Amino acid sequence: MGWKLGAGLGAIALGAGLLACGGSDDAAPAAPAVAAGTTAQLALLETTDLHTNVRSYDYFKLADDTTLGFERTATLIKTARAEFANSMLVDNGDTIQGTAVSDYQALVKPIACTDTLAIYKAMNAAGYDVGGIGNHEFNYGLPYLAQVTGNKFDVDGMPALSAQPTCAGPAFPQVLANVYSVKSKQPLFTPYTIVTKTLKAKDPAGKDVNVPVKVGFIGFAPPAILAWDKRWLDGKVYTEGVKETAEKFIPEMKAKGAELIVVISHGGLDAGAYSPTMENGSWHLSKVAGVDAMLIGHSHQIFPDAKSTVGQFNQTGVDKVKGTVNGVPTVMANFWGKHLGVIGLNLKHDGSKWSVDTTKTTVEARSTQNADKTYVAVDATVAPLIEAEHQATIAYVKTPVGTTDFRMTTYFADVGEPGAIEIVNQAQADYVAAYIQANLPEFKTLPVLSVSAPFKSGFGGGNDFTDVAAGPLAINNAADLYLYPNTIYAVKVTGADIKAWLETAAKRFNTINPALTTAQELVSTYPGYNFDMFTSADMQYEIDVTQAVGSRIKNLMYKGAAIDAAAQFVVATNNYRASGGGSFPGLDGSKTIYASPDANRDALISYIKTAKNLTRVANGSHRSWRFTKVTTAGAVTFKSAANQLALAQAAGLAGITLQQADDGSGKSLSVYAIDLAQ
């Protein structure tokens, strides 16, 4: 059968789903006869990248946020179920990490084995049929993942399977086919499940009938988890390429009776040459024989979307209007519960098997935002399910740790304002320097630097920026300043490595043509969380946005002198970057000299507690980089939150003007311009 029970496959938690997947090698029982010409419609409903956003609430701002939250997605789910006679609800992963609630349950007051995670409580109540596993599921380590999913993992570093407790997990099966235990050589999770769904259908005469269909679901996670969570996974699990894994298991699923094959792929679309380690392999999965539909995610995007300018949706074989990839119906439902993916499969039976009529199949990503820019009402049954966790998290994040005399934001980080980034760099550098002095004498003479990035830089709209008010600082503010549950890593690099690092970070900007009289957008689609920057008087450099990617860093100086390409430095960063996240040259784990077990956020909290009173002069004014001065014939523009021009001026940024108060996107963004000659 290709995999065996007990190799961390969650036999108890999966219940009926596992039996449907094939608890033995016996042939699948014969299904009741279905008349040739019978038709039905089956809606596949997808959530993805929920990141524990159960409530429409921002724990960083301690305020309601109508733009997100599963309690609104749940309303869309109920609407879709009322619309379609037959539906199945599926989650794509990146579910158990992402808010202060998830950190509270994993790190602050670890959840008991007998308790169910807050997000799974809400999902259980919604009646999910199956779930996938994303990369962020691994952020808290394998023992925690096994516990909260109700699994037992046969991996090094964990007790024998017989000694592991059976913990509460979700009430639905979870599948993941391409992550394996090094110890057992078996899949970490159940690779697939086959669910028998009774369909309300029409027989050839148009009469209502109830008939069965066996739907097979198979899950995939990005192989890059091995780099992103190396501290937890190294030597314990390995990955197989998504394409060959699908080619291995799909025939097995069909042999066990699966009539429809649905791929749950936590990855986007990359039509480039296939690699078993590629991050976004869903395009290649669509080419595997037998795939009837794909539910994709990870990229935090919307598909289909006829107006999308996102590169992955504008390549060969991708129909961003109909929602197909190489002819396969495909949906991606954004992130944080903002959308519900809906694939309306049109099915027809020929007397021996079901087939999908793609000409009549519909695909859409339904938004929780209405046409008039309001949002659908919450499903009032959701919030009470996690009220205790919600209130406990709020109490936790209100814990005071210090004060600040300036507003710390990332609204203008893309144009050089270091207000919310310097404190992170200071905390990281202080932590690493202290560790080296105490424990790594061989590196005592090397300068210790630090890089960080504007993790919240407007991707999700005007509310998706770090914004910490002047005054008291609490834990929720530290979580706003450092969004992710990363751990501090230190790498030893050369001056040449630093230049290559900064050249990669400078992909954040488009190439500007000074001669163009029309407006040009400064900021590219390169993620803000990869825009690493120094914020120190010791490091100075320019970014020349008129030059091509790879040739933009000018006048790179350390302590007033041109940096020596051969000189050695220690740079404090995070596990994601040091282990290969973002594909920065040379940062593949080999340069790591210290892999800390401590979270960057915890080091930040500790630093603030020690400093007590932060000031702009000491903690938020040191710019390491500037744009190379150039006069442009037309405007150079960028987007940030509305009504923040005064903040740029208060931070001392020159040449910033307001071009357009509302960019028309409905995301509370304004268009600003920067004079690159200043």
Side-chain angles (χ1 to χ4, degrees), residues 12-57:
I12 295 175
L14 291 178
L18 180 60
L19 294 177
C21 182
S24 72
D25 286 325
D26 295 336
V34 180
T38 300
T39 59
Q41 190 176 36
L42 173 61
L44 299 173
L45 311 180
E46 183 211 37
T47 56
T48 187
D49 297 272
L50 290 173
H51 288 285
T52 313
N53 285 281
V54 181
R55 302 279 294 262
S56 295
Y57 191 83

